[in-house]
Amino acid sequence: MPYLVAADLPTEPAGVRFRNLLVRPQILRMPGTHNGVAALQAARAGFEALYLSGAAMSSSMGLPDLGVITVDEVCFFIRQVARASGLPVLVDGDTGYGEALNVMHMVRAFEEAGAAAVHLEDQLLPKKCGHLNDKKLAPPHDMAAKVAAAAKARRNLFVIARTDAAASEGIDGAVARARLYLEAGADAIFPEALTSADMFRAFARAMPGVSLLANMTEFGRTPFFTASEFEAMGYRMVIWPVSALRAANKAQEGVYAAIQRDGGTQNMIDRMQTRQELYDTIRYHDYEALDASLVKTIVPQGMPQRD
């Protein structure tokens, strides 16, 4: 049924549902979903939690992933994805949109919009995609202060601290930062842009008992690993942040080229989602039936008497 029906809404807070998924032995798989319909498609495919990537949100707005979008703009995406899917959503919080008080504002806004979890990174603005070069890192204690602020502001939000230090400070430096962030209140750690299975294993060995997040992004510094391979290396969560957006963008590019080349879409029909498939995805007929049940015509009985 549509999300409008209260009985069909989750009864537990999103953050609690996210934590419950991590109690299970298997790795939690979270595909990137850049809008509401992508979230519906991922839910229909059987995923139990979703990811909102800063790069995907920025790119879908025609902007680079340099920390230029705002808290309110991110909340617009959170509301779409959480409301459409009903699933717990992990959200990219970039550098927290400022210092400690800004982080607290972000946490409150994200949680109120429906987020289940957030990750913060230890870069300085202008931040970069974690798989690019020449990233500038915040002092470890400054990042720890942000993590502490996030933990203090949240009600149920699951807080993940991301460190980009492996590229410049090595595994030992990244591990030292991660331990500091855990002491500050982080629930889990996200070591970004590790470049080999040996690095993933070494980080996990240094963090026994800690929930770890792996990032399987394409065209980056990390080789392809499957969810089961990350699980065997000691990771509890894995994201594919921009995969769906990359595929969607490539398909759109082909449609626009075909219209320009052929004067219409007649040669692209077999690559399109049909009207019926779209309606099934967005539950068009469920909404239609709900509306009909609420706006049922009541036929007047008899005639009113004059005063």
Side-chain angles (χ1 to χ4, degrees):
M1 285 297 293
Y3 75 88
L4 296 173
V5 180
D8 297 320
L9 296 175
T11 56
E12 289 186 310
V16 172
R17 290 183 284 129
F18 189 87
R19 291 171 190 274
N20 290 342
L21 290 172
L22 289 177
V23 171
R24 305 178 312 175
Q26 65 267 35
I27 193 169
L28 180 59
R29 301 174 298 160
M30 293 176 279
T33 51
H34 53 283
N35 59 25
V37 74
L40 284 171
Q41 290 176 312
R44 284 166 63 93
F47 289 97
E48 297 176 281
L50 306 176
Y51 179 63
L52 253 178
S53 155
M57 289 183 279
S58 297
S59 297
S60 69
M61 295 171 65
L63 295 169
D65 183 25
L66 293 171
V68 296
I69 62 176
T70 67
V71 168
D72 286 345
E73 287 168 332
V74 175
C75 286
F76 171 75
F77 286 95
I78 295 171
R79 282 189 288 270
Q80 282 190 67
V81 170
R83 183 175 61 185
S85 68
L87 297 178
V89 182
L90 165 60
V91 182
D92 184 350
D94 282 344
T95 60
Y97 304 90
E99 298 308 317
L101 291 178
N102 305 89
V103 169
M104 296 178 84
H105 168 65
M106 177 205 72
V107 164
R108 297 298 326 119
F110 281 15
E111 195 162 17
E112 287 164 4
V118 66
H119 68 71
L120 294 168
E121 64 199 57
D122 54 7
Q123 286 192 53
L124 294 173
L125 289 174
K127 55 91 61 186
K128 289 187 173 184
C129 167
H131 290 253
L132 298 181
N133 63 311
D134 196 30
K135 295 177 290 184
K136 295 178 175 59
L137 300 184
H141 288 279
D142 289 358
M143 173 63 177
K146 291 185 180 184
V147 173
K152 188 175 182 66
R154 53 99 177 269
R155 286 197 289 260
N156 298 290
L157 200 70
F158 190 88
V159 176
I160 302 173
R162 166 178 146 179
T163 179
D164 287 59
S168 58
E169 299 177 4
I171 287 293
D172 290 344
V175 166
R177 283 174 172 265
R179 288 174 177 159
L180 186 63
Y181 305 159
L182 288 168
E183 291 172 7
D187 298 302
I189 297 294
F190 172 8
E192 175 63 308
L194 303 187
T195 59
S196 69
D198 286 343
M199 289 185 75
F200 278 101
R201 292 190 192 101
F203 193 92
R205 281 196 302 269
M207 299 263 101
V210 176
S211 293
L212 300 178
L213 168 68
N215 179 10
M216 189 58 261
T217 190
E218 303 82 15
F219 313 108
R221 296 179 180 272
T222 300
F224 278 109
F225 295 110
T226 64
S228 59
E229 288 172 327
F230 280 122
E231 184 175 350
M233 289 188 276
Y235 289 74
R236 297 290 299 114
M237 300 167 273
V238 56
I239 55 174
W240 293 266
V242 197
S243 308
L245 179 67
R246 294 188 203 281
N249 283 351
K250 195 70 173 179
Q252 287 175 174
E253 189 176 59
V255 169
Y256 297 140
I259 295 172
Q260 186 67 267
R261 180 186 65 244
D262 305 329
T265 60
Q266 62 274 12
N267 296 322
M268 301 295 288
I269 294 299
D270 62 342
R271 304 186 197 183
M272 293 185 185
Q273 183 185 52
T274 67
R275 182 185 296 269
Q276 186 60 56
E277 288 168 339
L278 173 61
Y279 284 3
D280 288 345
T281 299
I282 62 176
R283 298 170 296 187
Y284 183 95
H285 296 299
D286 286 343
Y287 281 88
E288 194 174 46
L290 177 62
D291 184 63
S293 72
L294 296 174
V295 197
K296 184 177 180 180
T297 300
I298 299 175
V299 179
Q301 300 296 316
M303 290 285 292
Q305 298 297 313
R306 291 180 60 177
D307 293 335

